[in-house]
Amino acid sequence: MKQRHSRMPYKLLDLAISNHAKYVYMALMHFRSKTKKSIKVSLAKVAEVTGLKGRQLTNYINTLMQHNIIARRKNKHANGEYSCNVYTITCDETYFAEIPWEIAYDNTLSVNTKLGYCIMKRYTDLDKQDHACYMGKKELTEKIGCSTNEVDKIKRNLKLAGFIEYERNSNKITLIYEKALEKKINNEIKQVVRNKNEVSKYENHSTSL
Protein backbone atom coordinates (compact mmCIF):
# COMPACT_ATOMS: atom_id res chain seq x y z
CA MET A 1 0.00 0.00 0.00
CA LYS A 2 1.33 3.44 -0.93
CA GLN A 3 2.05 6.02 1.73
CA ARG A 4 -0.64 8.64 2.21
CA HIS A 5 -0.40 12.14 3.62
CA SER A 6 -2.81 14.72 4.98
CA ARG A 7 -2.36 18.34 3.97
CA MET A 8 -2.38 21.06 6.59
CA PRO A 9 -2.59 24.53 4.98
CA TYR A 10 -0.21 27.16 6.31
CA LYS A 11 -3.18 29.48 6.75
CA LEU A 12 -4.67 27.04 9.23
CA LEU A 13 -1.40 26.39 11.05
CA ASP A 14 -0.93 30.15 11.52
CA LEU A 15 -4.37 30.73 13.04
CA ALA A 16 -4.55 31.59 16.74
CA ILE A 17 -7.15 28.91 17.48
CA SER A 18 -7.15 25.73 19.54
CA ASN A 19 -4.91 22.92 18.28
CA HIS A 20 -7.89 20.62 18.75
CA ALA A 21 -9.79 22.66 16.17
CA LYS A 22 -6.85 22.25 13.80
CA TYR A 23 -6.86 18.54 14.50
CA VAL A 24 -10.56 18.34 13.58
CA TYR A 25 -9.53 19.64 10.16
CA MET A 26 -6.84 16.94 10.02
CA ALA A 27 -9.51 14.37 10.89
CA LEU A 28 -11.68 15.56 8.00
CA MET A 29 -8.70 15.00 5.68
CA HIS A 30 -8.87 11.31 6.62
CA PHE A 31 -12.05 11.11 4.54
CA ARG A 32 -10.90 13.26 1.65
CA SER A 33 -10.72 11.73 -1.82
CA LYS A 34 -7.48 12.86 -3.47
CA THR A 35 -7.66 16.64 -3.99
CA LYS A 36 -11.43 17.04 -4.04
CA LYS A 37 -12.67 20.09 -2.16
CA SER A 38 -15.83 18.41 -0.85
CA ILE A 39 -15.80 15.76 1.88
CA LYS A 40 -18.92 13.76 2.72
CA VAL A 41 -18.73 12.24 6.19
CA SER A 42 -20.90 11.77 9.25
CA LEU A 43 -20.16 13.53 12.52
CA ALA A 44 -19.84 10.10 14.14
CA LYS A 45 -16.97 9.16 11.83
CA VAL A 46 -15.12 12.39 12.59
CA ALA A 47 -15.69 11.70 16.28
CA GLU A 48 -14.03 8.28 15.91
CA VAL A 49 -10.85 9.85 14.55
CA THR A 50 -10.67 12.77 16.98
CA GLY A 51 -11.99 11.12 20.12
CA LEU A 52 -14.23 14.16 20.54
CA LYS A 53 -17.98 14.00 20.87
CA GLY A 54 -21.12 16.11 20.82
CA ARG A 55 -20.99 19.83 21.48
CA GLN A 56 -17.18 19.92 21.82
CA LEU A 57 -16.66 18.55 18.31
CA THR A 58 -19.39 20.79 16.89
CA ASN A 59 -17.80 23.85 18.50
CA TYR A 60 -14.45 23.10 16.85
CA ILE A 61 -16.14 22.64 13.49
CA ASN A 62 -17.92 25.97 13.99
CA THR A 63 -14.54 27.58 14.77
CA LEU A 64 -13.14 26.33 11.46
CA MET A 65 -16.20 27.69 9.67
CA GLN A 66 -15.95 31.08 11.39
CA HIS A 67 -12.37 31.44 10.14
CA ASN A 68 -13.36 30.46 6.58
CA ILE A 69 -11.36 27.22 6.66
CA ILE A 70 -14.32 25.01 5.78
CA ALA A 71 -18.00 25.34 4.90
CA ARG A 72 -20.68 22.84 5.86
CA ARG A 73 -24.06 21.82 4.57
CA LYS A 74 -26.39 19.01 5.50
CA ASN A 75 -26.98 16.40 2.84
CA LYS A 76 -30.56 15.22 2.30
CA HIS A 77 -31.90 11.91 1.04
CA ALA A 78 -34.63 11.83 -1.59
CA ASN A 79 -37.20 11.29 1.19
CA GLY A 80 -36.12 14.54 2.83
CA GLU A 81 -34.23 12.99 5.74
CA TYR A 82 -30.75 14.27 6.55
CA SER A 83 -27.71 12.06 6.06
CA CYS A 84 -23.98 12.81 6.26
CA ASN A 85 -22.69 16.37 6.31
CA VAL A 86 -20.79 17.70 3.32
CA TYR A 87 -17.74 19.80 4.23
CA THR A 88 -16.09 22.01 1.64
CA ILE A 89 -12.53 23.27 1.98
CA THR A 90 -12.67 27.04 1.54
CA CYS A 91 -9.21 28.12 2.71
CA ASP A 92 -6.19 28.66 0.47
CA GLU A 93 -4.33 25.37 -0.01
CA THR A 94 -1.51 26.75 -2.14
CA TYR A 95 1.01 26.27 0.64
CA PHE A 96 0.72 23.37 3.03
CA ALA A 97 2.62 20.92 5.22
CA GLU A 98 2.06 17.22 4.60
CA ILE A 99 1.83 14.87 7.55
CA PRO A 100 2.02 11.07 7.01
CA TRP A 101 -1.05 9.06 8.01
CA GLU A 102 1.09 7.02 10.41
CA ILE A 103 1.56 10.18 12.45
CA ALA A 104 -1.70 12.03 11.81
CA TYR A 105 -3.91 9.15 12.94
CA ASP A 106 -1.74 7.48 15.56
CA ASN A 107 -3.91 7.27 18.68
CA THR A 108 -0.85 7.10 20.94
CA LEU A 109 0.30 10.60 19.92
CA SER A 110 -1.24 13.73 21.40
CA VAL A 111 -2.83 16.49 19.34
CA ASN A 112 0.03 18.85 20.19
CA THR A 113 2.54 16.23 19.06
CA LYS A 114 0.85 15.87 15.68
CA LEU A 115 0.60 19.64 15.19
CA GLY A 116 4.20 19.95 16.35
CA TYR A 117 5.29 17.58 13.61
CA CYS A 118 3.40 19.69 11.08
CA ILE A 119 5.29 22.78 12.24
CA MET A 120 8.62 20.95 11.95
CA LYS A 121 7.69 19.73 8.48
CA ARG A 122 6.72 23.25 7.42
CA TYR A 123 10.15 24.61 8.30
CA THR A 124 12.11 21.77 6.73
CA ASP A 125 13.78 22.46 3.38
CA LEU A 126 13.08 19.18 1.62
CA ASP A 127 15.13 20.27 -1.40
CA LYS A 128 18.30 19.95 0.65
CA GLN A 129 17.78 16.19 1.01
CA ASP A 130 18.91 16.21 4.65
CA HIS A 131 15.31 16.48 5.94
CA ALA A 132 16.39 18.78 8.76
CA CYS A 133 14.75 21.83 10.27
CA TYR A 134 16.42 24.23 12.67
CA MET A 135 14.04 25.36 15.37
CA GLY A 136 14.85 26.26 18.95
CA LYS A 137 12.60 25.53 21.89
CA LYS A 138 11.37 29.13 22.06
CA GLU A 139 10.34 29.16 18.39
CA LEU A 140 8.60 25.79 18.67
CA THR A 141 6.77 27.01 21.75
CA GLU A 142 5.45 30.03 19.85
CA LYS A 143 4.54 28.14 16.68
CA ILE A 144 2.82 25.21 18.40
CA GLY A 145 1.23 27.38 21.08
CA CYS A 146 2.30 25.38 24.11
CA SER A 147 4.73 25.48 27.04
CA THR A 148 8.46 24.76 26.82
CA ASN A 149 7.93 21.61 28.88
CA GLU A 150 5.33 20.47 26.33
CA VAL A 151 7.84 21.05 23.50
CA ASP A 152 10.31 18.75 25.27
CA LYS A 153 7.58 16.13 25.57
CA ILE A 154 6.58 16.48 21.91
CA LYS A 155 10.15 16.03 20.68
CA ARG A 156 10.76 13.13 23.03
CA ASN A 157 7.58 11.30 21.95
CA LEU A 158 8.33 11.79 18.24
CA LYS A 159 11.87 10.53 18.78
CA LEU A 160 10.70 7.45 20.70
CA ALA A 161 8.20 6.70 17.92
CA GLY A 162 11.02 6.83 15.36
CA PHE A 163 9.79 9.89 13.48
CA ILE A 164 12.51 12.42 14.30
CA GLU A 165 16.10 12.53 15.55
CA TYR A 166 17.84 15.31 17.44
CA GLU A 167 20.68 15.94 19.85
CA ARG A 168 20.41 17.65 23.17
CA ASN A 169 21.27 21.38 23.15
CA SER A 170 21.01 21.48 19.35
CA ASN A 171 18.38 23.25 17.23
CA LYS A 172 18.70 20.69 14.46
CA ILE A 173 15.76 18.28 14.12
CA THR A 174 15.96 15.60 11.43
CA LEU A 175 12.75 14.07 10.09
CA ILE A 176 14.19 10.57 9.77
CA TYR A 177 10.81 9.04 8.92
CA GLU A 178 10.44 11.36 5.92
CA LYS A 179 14.00 10.57 4.88
CA ALA A 180 13.37 6.81 5.00
CA LEU A 181 10.04 7.25 3.22
CA GLU A 182 11.62 9.20 0.37
CA LYS A 183 14.28 6.51 -0.05
CA LYS A 184 11.59 3.81 -0.14
CA ILE A 185 9.60 5.70 -2.78
CA ASN A 186 12.71 6.27 -4.91
CA ASN A 187 13.53 2.56 -4.73
CA GLU A 188 9.97 1.68 -5.76
CA ILE A 189 10.21 4.05 -8.73
CA LYS A 190 13.52 2.50 -9.76
CA GLN A 191 12.00 -0.96 -9.57
CA VAL A 192 9.07 0.09 -11.76
CA VAL A 193 11.50 1.49 -14.34
CA ARG A 194 13.53 -1.75 -14.27
CA ASN A 195 10.38 -3.81 -14.77
CA LYS A 196 9.30 -1.66 -17.71
CA ASN A 197 12.75 -1.95 -19.26
CA GLU A 198 12.64 -5.73 -18.91
CA VAL A 199 9.23 -5.84 -20.57
CA SER A 200 10.48 -3.54 -23.31
CA LYS A 201 13.47 -5.76 -23.97
CA TYR A 202 11.26 -8.82 -24.12
CA GLU A 203 8.83 -7.15 -26.53
CA ASN A 204 11.65 -5.98 -28.81
CA HIS A 205 13.14 -9.46 -28.80
CA SER A 206 9.78 -10.98 -29.69
CA THR A 207 9.26 -8.51 -32.53
CA SER A 208 12.65 -9.26 -34.00
CA LEU A 209 11.79 -12.92 -34.12
Side-chain angles (χ1 to χ4, degrees):
M1 183 181 292
K2 290 186 177 181
Q3 176 73 30
R4 298 188 67 181
H5 291 76
S6 286
R7 294 181 175 184
M8 295 294 287
Y10 287 176
K11 180 178 180 180
L12 174 61
L13 292 176
D14 290 339
L15 278 180
I17 60 174
S18 165
N19 281 341
H20 278 85
K22 296 176 184 180
Y23 186 60
V24 168
Y25 180 92
M26 191 185 294
L28 288 173
M29 295 304 100
H30 186 282
F31 304 97
R32 186 178 191 178
S33 178
K34 297 181 180 180
T35 57
K36 288 185 177 180
K37 290 287 187 179
S38 294
I39 304 164
K40 183 180 177 183
V41 62
S42 69
L43 203 61
K45 288 291 184 182
V46 181
E48 286 179 12
V49 176
T50 61
L52 301 169
K53 295 180 181 179
R55 182 174 296 180
Q56 193 177 28
L57 177 56
T58 301
N59 286 342
Y60 289 136
I61 289 174
N62 288 338
T63 297
L64 293 173
M65 292 169 61
Q66 289 165 8
H67 287 84
N68 199 31
I69 301 298
I70 61 171
R72 177 188 61 194
R73 68 178 174 81
K74 292 184 177 180
N75 198 35
K76 280 187 178 182
H77 290 300
N79 60 8
E81 293 183 0
Y82 288 108
S83 62
C84 297
N85 291 329
V86 177
Y87 300 93
T88 302
I89 300 167
T90 54
C91 67
D92 182 7
E93 290 188 287
T94 306
Y95 302 102
F96 56 85
E98 285 189 321
I99 177 170
W101 275 41
E102 280 74 6
I103 300 175
Y105 310 116
D106 185 337
N107 292 330
T108 66
L109 298 176
S110 70
V111 168
N112 280 347
T113 299
K114 295 171 183 180
L115 268 297
Y117 188 90
C118 284
I119 298 299
M120 295 174 193
K121 181 71 175 287
R122 175 179 180 178
Y123 292 96
T124 298
D125 187 351
L126 299 179
D127 291 332
K128 289 187 176 181
Q129 303 299 311
D130 61 356
H131 293 81
C133 70
Y134 295 84
M135 300 188 75
K137 188 182 295 187
K138 183 179 179 181
E139 187 177 8
L140 281 169
T141 297
E142 293 173 353
K143 297 295 183 182
I144 301 172
C146 62
S147 66
T148 54
N149 287 338
E150 180 70 9
V151 166
D152 287 335
K153 186 177 179 180
I154 287 169
K155 291 175 66 177
R156 184 168 60 250
N157 288 341
L158 287 172
K159 183 176 182 178
L160 288 173
F163 295 128
I164 69 171
E165 194 61 72
Y166 63 91
E167 293 182 8
R168 198 168 183 175
N169 300 322
S170 173
N171 290 345
K172 182 180 179 181
I173 303 170
T174 304
L175 308 187
I176 57 173
Y177 183 78
E178 300 282 351
K179 197 171 185 178
L181 179 60
E182 184 173 291
K183 183 178 180 181
K184 179 182 177 183
I185 292 173
N186 288 337
N187 287 337
E188 288 177 352
I189 292 172
K190 288 177 182 178
Q191 187 59 50
V192 169
V193 172
R194 287 194 201 100
N195 292 341
K196 285 185 177 180
N197 287 339
E198 288 298 321
V199 171
S200 178
K201 286 180 184 177
Y202 179 79
E203 288 177 344
N204 290 338
H205 180 67
S206 300
T207 303
S208 62
L209 292 176

